[in-house]
Amino acid sequence: MATDTVSYTNELQTAAGYMPCVSIIMPFTPAFSLKTGLEYKLKTALDQVKKELQANYTAEKAMMVLNRLQSLIQKLDYTSNPKSLAIFVSPLIEKVYYLDTVVEERIIIDDSFEIRDLVFSKNEMQQYLLLIISSKKSRVFLGTNQHLSRIRNGIPEHAAALTKDNPERVANFSDPSEMKELMLDKYMRQIDDHLSQLLKEYPFPVMVMGTSRTAGHFKKISRNKNRVIGFIHGNYDEATVAELLKATAPVLSDWRRSREMEILKQIEEAMDARKLATGIAEVWKAATHQRGRLLVIEKNYMFPAQRGDHKDEIFAWDRNNANKLYIKDAVDDVIEMVLANGGEVAFVENGALKNYSSIALIEFY
């Protein structure tokens, strides 16, 4: 079983060219029973794959893949409680990966496995916690792109419970405003304590929503300030999901830009250390020699290629040189090689790597 760090074996690489290759990448929604919901979604996916295979491939090839796919689905582990699933099936192999992160649903039938799509979906489907606080109550949501799911947890939802817990202490205050500030600090401290526990199960960045006064109290006492990527000031106690998503969008956008800037900084540091390969030919060579630590690619960059005389050589595809082995997209192959050897992959906006020919590989130091 593979988890969030997906281990792509050489079998996926050597299967290229044995058409058709089916990639099913699917998130699971926790709102319904895992097994029941999964079976329904997979049946729908299987029907779609069957229809496309029968329309575009010979009956023999279609049946080989369908039989493998049906057999694999029947053997799935429903007890692993994954957040997503990736299935790869061809006439030669069958692979399934249980993922610990949510990805975008995709069903692709092609002459190669869509590793890029899986990795890109994982990178883009960034999760975060949204904590909404006020002096009276709190809520927590799990955010994933354009979706928010309420998390029921131990965080006290209503501050009024605190006065019930200690009525004598409250009664001893002669200054009501002092009492309110003390109780608000106590409430924020309880919220922060429960947030610490919640982050063990959901180790994601945090956004905090609340009035300036409430957010100020939270900042003063919180031990989780280093996990907060942004504070959004305002009263959001009664806000709808649509209103919450609109308010969080600028923070997410800034956060993604800061992550991209950090990646570009790493590239510059690797260049200074002479541990950087740039351009598809250099990157391919470094990847074949298992030197890749972090592969950085512009989102839409692709490179049809042909192999050279040595395995670490590739060139741009030349239709007039048909005796060379064709590679549909050398970028996909590089992704597979880097992941198979323990490296990571990150995508950046188009044009961000214009000084590096659209692709760069930071090597192991």
Side-chain angles (χ1 to χ4, degrees):
M1 179 189 304
T3 56
D4 194 32
T5 303
V6 184
S7 298
Y8 296 96
T9 67
N10 288 332
E11 291 177 87
L12 287 183
Q13 297 178 44
T14 57
Y18 293 89
M19 300 181 291
C21 295
V22 176
S23 304
I24 299 177
I25 303 166
M26 184 173 293
F28 299 150
T29 303
F32 47 64
S33 166
L34 177 63
K35 189 174 188 296
T36 303
L38 175 58
E39 286 178 335
Y40 174 78
K41 293 183 75 174
L42 287 173
K43 182 182 183 302
T44 302
L46 185 61
D47 290 342
Q48 179 180 335
V49 170
K50 182 178 181 180
K51 183 178 180 180
E52 292 189 31
L53 287 176
Q54 291 177 339
N56 298 302
Y57 295 91
T58 65
E60 180 182 6
K61 282 190 173 183
M63 190 55 62
M64 289 175 66
V65 173
L66 284 171
N67 287 341
R68 279 184 174 273
L69 184 55
Q70 288 175 323
S71 175
L72 187 62
I73 289 175
Q74 291 173 359
K75 295 183 290 186
L76 285 175
D77 179 12
Y78 291 95
T79 65
S80 60
N81 195 30
K83 291 186 174 68
S84 302
L85 179 76
I87 298 174
F88 300 97
V89 178
S90 78
L92 289 183
I93 69 165
E94 55 187 50
K95 287 288 177 182
V96 59
Y97 298 99
Y98 301 89
L99 310 175
D100 289 338
T101 192
V102 178
V103 296
E104 181 182 352
E105 182 171 334
R106 290 169 182 257
I107 300 173
I108 306 112
I109 301 172
D110 207 338
D111 59 355
S112 63
F113 292 112
E114 297 297 331
I115 302 300
R116 175 200 290 261
D117 289 300
L118 176 56
V119 178
F120 183 74
S121 294
K122 178 180 176 296
N123 276 261
E124 288 295 291
M125 197 66 71
Q126 185 61 55
Q127 295 175 284
Y128 61 94
L129 292 179
L130 175 62
L131 173 62
I132 305 174
I133 55 175
S134 72
S135 59
K136 296 181 179 180
K137 62 181 181 179
S138 66
R139 292 181 291 166
V140 183
F141 291 85
L142 174 64
T144 306
N145 284 14
Q146 293 301 309
H147 300 280
L148 287 174
S149 302
R150 181 78 178 272
I151 298 178
R152 302 291 178 178
N153 53 77
I155 293 181
E157 292 192 9
H158 297 281
L162 298 179
T163 60
K164 294 178 182 178
D165 290 342
N166 201 347
E168 293 182 5
R169 178 79 183 274
V170 173
N172 288 334
F173 274 93
S174 57
D175 185 347
S177 62
E178 184 181 353
M179 182 267 288
K180 287 181 179 179
E181 295 303 304
L182 180 68
M183 296 307 294
L184 184 55
D185 274 347
K186 184 176 180 181
Y187 185 43
M188 292 299 108
R189 189 169 288 108
Q190 285 202 10
I191 290 175
D192 192 57
D193 288 342
H194 286 286
L195 178 61
S196 297
Q197 295 300 315
L198 195 61
L199 284 167
K200 294 178 181 178
E201 183 178 356
Y202 302 93
F204 307 130
V206 180
M207 272 188 276
V208 179
M209 282 182 162
T211 63
S212 298
R213 171 175 172 259
T214 307
H217 278 263
F218 183 83
K219 288 180 185 179
K220 181 176 68 176
I221 60 91
S222 177
R223 294 172 297 174
N224 296 296
K225 289 191 290 287
N226 63 324
R227 304 295 293 272
V228 177
I229 60 172
F231 286 88
I232 304 171
H233 293 153
N235 186 340
Y236 291 91
D237 279 358
E238 306 301 327
T240 64
V241 169
E243 291 169 338
L244 295 176
L245 287 171
K246 183 178 180 180
T248 59
V251 176
L252 283 175
S253 180
D254 290 343
W255 179 46
R256 290 191 180 104
R257 279 196 296 270
S258 67
R259 290 171 63 214
E260 185 169 296
M261 293 301 295
E262 177 58 32
I263 290 172
L264 295 177
K265 181 181 177 182
Q266 291 183 48
I267 289 176
E268 292 176 0
E269 291 172 349
M271 175 173 284
D272 291 340
R274 298 185 178 181
K275 290 292 183 179
L276 183 71
T278 62
I280 189 62
E282 286 187 18
V283 168
W284 177 278
K285 186 173 184 177
T288 57
H289 292 282
Q290 303 180 12
R291 298 200 298 262
R293 180 173 69 84
L294 174 62
L295 176 65
V296 187
I297 315 160
E298 290 184 357
K299 289 181 178 180
N300 292 340
Y301 180 59
M302 301 178 69
F303 190 85
Q306 61 189 40
R307 294 184 185 275
D309 294 330
H310 303 283
K311 71 174 184 178
D312 62 359
E313 292 180 337
I314 60 167
F315 304 95
W317 171 245
D318 181 1
R319 293 181 179 275
N320 298 320
N321 194 0
N323 62 324
K324 296 291 185 180
L325 181 60
Y326 172 63
I327 304 172
K328 178 185 176 183
D329 182 14
V331 178
D332 271 359
D333 286 23
V334 168
I335 291 173
E336 294 172 20
M337 287 189 282
V338 169
L339 290 171
N341 290 296
E344 298 180 359
V345 179
F347 289 91
V348 294
E349 293 297 326
N350 298 320
L353 299 178
K354 61 183 179 182
N355 295 329
Y356 307 101
S357 300
S358 300
I359 186 169
L361 181 66
I362 298 176
E363 301 178 2
F364 290 107
Y365 282 57

